Amino acid sequence: MAVLIDGKAVSMQIKDELKQKAAELKAKGINVTLAVIQVGDNPASCVYVRNKKKGCEYIGIGSLSYELPEETTQMELLDLIQELNGRQDVNGILVQLPLPSHIDEDTVIKAIDPSKDVDGFHPQSVGALCIGQPGFVSCTPAGIIQLLKRSHIDIAGKECVVLGRSNIVGKPMSLLLLRENATVTIAHSRTKNLKEVTKRADILVAAVGKPRMITRDYVKKGAVVIDVGINRDENNKLCGDVDFDDVEPVCSAITPVPGGVGPMTIAMLLHNCIESVSLKD
């Protein structure tokens, strides 16, 4: 019977710690504020934005919300980012992705002041992570490291396989595991003998975006399985990239979907907002 890694419980623990830090900053006259920009009304984005606002409220920091219509031009969005970059009372800027197709995400991410890039997507933040410099770390991978550590799962010396090579999860995840002294393999859609590669993993991180793709055939007995996927199955039910029922009996620990990695992403975003104060110094 695998240990269930409870992202809700761990994220609450982190949020309570951040609540304390926010109160200490407030006592010193430092108010932290996150600005969230959403373009259009993508239903999933609406849920995320609502949860981010709730998170800010819970830990006691300010949030500014900019809900822009779908037809907002790229220039209008860049002008707003420029304005927020210049505001002393704004510590973090988050542009909710995905953006409508007429707006170039890359240009928008680069427009955010790196000292306010609480999503950790700016090339400067990614570069800092690569060479071990201080900076914001992408929230989902940072949350996974916290999940492992706070669940007392050793990373150092372990063989880790990250399945997926996106800029938001796969690449930063591999760098963070490397920083924790793991031996890391990145696998992807072009990897040959994929099951053989993933079966070497002591810790398998699945971030492929394919519902229930990972069955027990991909998993070494006793491995730790982290499921980053958030998909809808044929019955419109929320599920991960891992076939939980099939994999759970063979692994030693596993994250559920929902309630695993998801809550950690918002907890680490809030962590980055608090961190923005010391990164400015």
Side-chain angles (χ1 to χ4, degrees):
M1 188 74 176
V3 170
L4 202 63
I5 300 173
D6 187 346
K8 281 185 184 166
V10 177
S11 70
M12 191 50 80
Q13 195 182 15
I14 291 170
K15 285 195 278 196
D16 285 339
E17 290 165 13
L18 294 172
K19 196 178 198 174
Q20 177 71 31
K21 285 183 183 173
E24 286 165 12
L25 287 170
K26 209 166 261 187
K28 293 177 190 168
I30 301 166
N31 293 303
V32 179
T33 300
L34 169 68
V36 181
I37 304 169
Q38 182 184 351
V39 184
D41 54 3
N42 175 304
S45 292
C46 291
V47 173
Y48 288 136
V49 167
R50 196 160 62 241
N51 287 339
K52 283 163 188 171
K53 284 187 211 161
K54 273 190 202 160
C56 288
E57 203 175 307
Y58 182 80
I59 71 162
I61 65 173
S63 69
L64 301 170
S65 191
Y66 297 88
E67 281 146 20
L68 309 177
E70 184 89 20
E71 59 276 11
T72 299
T73 66
Q74 181 165 306
M75 193 45 75
E76 286 169 331
L77 178 55
L78 292 173
D79 285 345
L80 173 58
I81 291 169
Q82 208 49 50
E83 180 199 320
L84 294 168
N85 281 341
R87 279 180 59 170
Q88 291 298 309
D89 61 333
V90 171
N91 301 74
I93 301 168
L94 183 149
V95 179
Q96 183 64 44
L97 303 178
L99 288 164
S101 55
H102 65 278
I103 297 176
D104 180 55
E105 286 184 2
D106 204 32
T107 303
V108 169
I109 288 166
K110 285 178 183 164
I112 297 169
D113 179 341
S115 73
K116 298 187 179 190
D117 167 42
V118 286
D119 251 338
F121 295 164
H122 192 283
Q124 189 171 311
S125 304
V126 178
L129 173 60
C130 280
I131 57 171
Q133 296 285 322
F136 294 114
V137 177
S138 186
C139 301
T140 300
I144 291 167
I145 294 292
Q146 285 298 315
L147 262 188
L148 292 168
K149 285 183 167 180
R150 289 172 187 250
S151 303
H152 311 292
I153 293 164
D154 288 332
I155 304 170
K158 294 290 176 69
E159 181 125 11
C160 298
V161 175
V162 177
L163 189 47
R165 53 179 164 177
S166 72
N167 292 336
I168 290 172
V169 179
K171 289 175 191 169
M173 186 74 249
S174 60
L175 288 165
L176 285 176
L177 288 165
L178 205 53
R179 194 160 85 177
E180 297 294 332
N181 301 312
T183 300
V184 184
T185 302
I186 303 174
H188 45 79
S189 57
R190 300 287 177 89
T191 300
K192 288 181 179 168
N193 306 321
L194 183 60
K195 288 179 185 175
E196 286 173 33
V197 174
T198 58
K199 269 199 138 153
R200 294 203 309 259
D202 301 311
I203 298 172
L204 176 62
V205 180
V208 280
K210 290 188 177 172
R212 299 197 181 99
M213 174 186 152
I214 304 304
T215 58
R216 66 173 64 199
D217 301 344
Y218 290 82
V219 180
K220 176 167 93 172
K221 191 164 175 56
V224 173
V225 178
I226 305 292
D227 190 352
V228 185
I230 297 183
N231 312 292
R232 295 271 174 194
D233 66 10
E234 60 284 356
N235 304 316
N236 205 33
K237 189 169 178 262
L238 213 55
C239 69
D241 291 348
V242 175
D243 186 333
F244 185 92
D245 293 338
D246 192 48
V247 169
E248 190 265 346
V250 300
C251 61
S252 62
I254 189 168
T255 58
V257 175
V261 172
M264 295 300 295
T265 302
I266 289 174
M268 297 318 288
L269 168 71
L270 299 169
H271 168 269
N272 282 353
C273 290
I274 296 291
E275 195 70 9
S276 68
V277 176
S278 56
L279 282 172
K280 267 185 180 172
D281 294 344

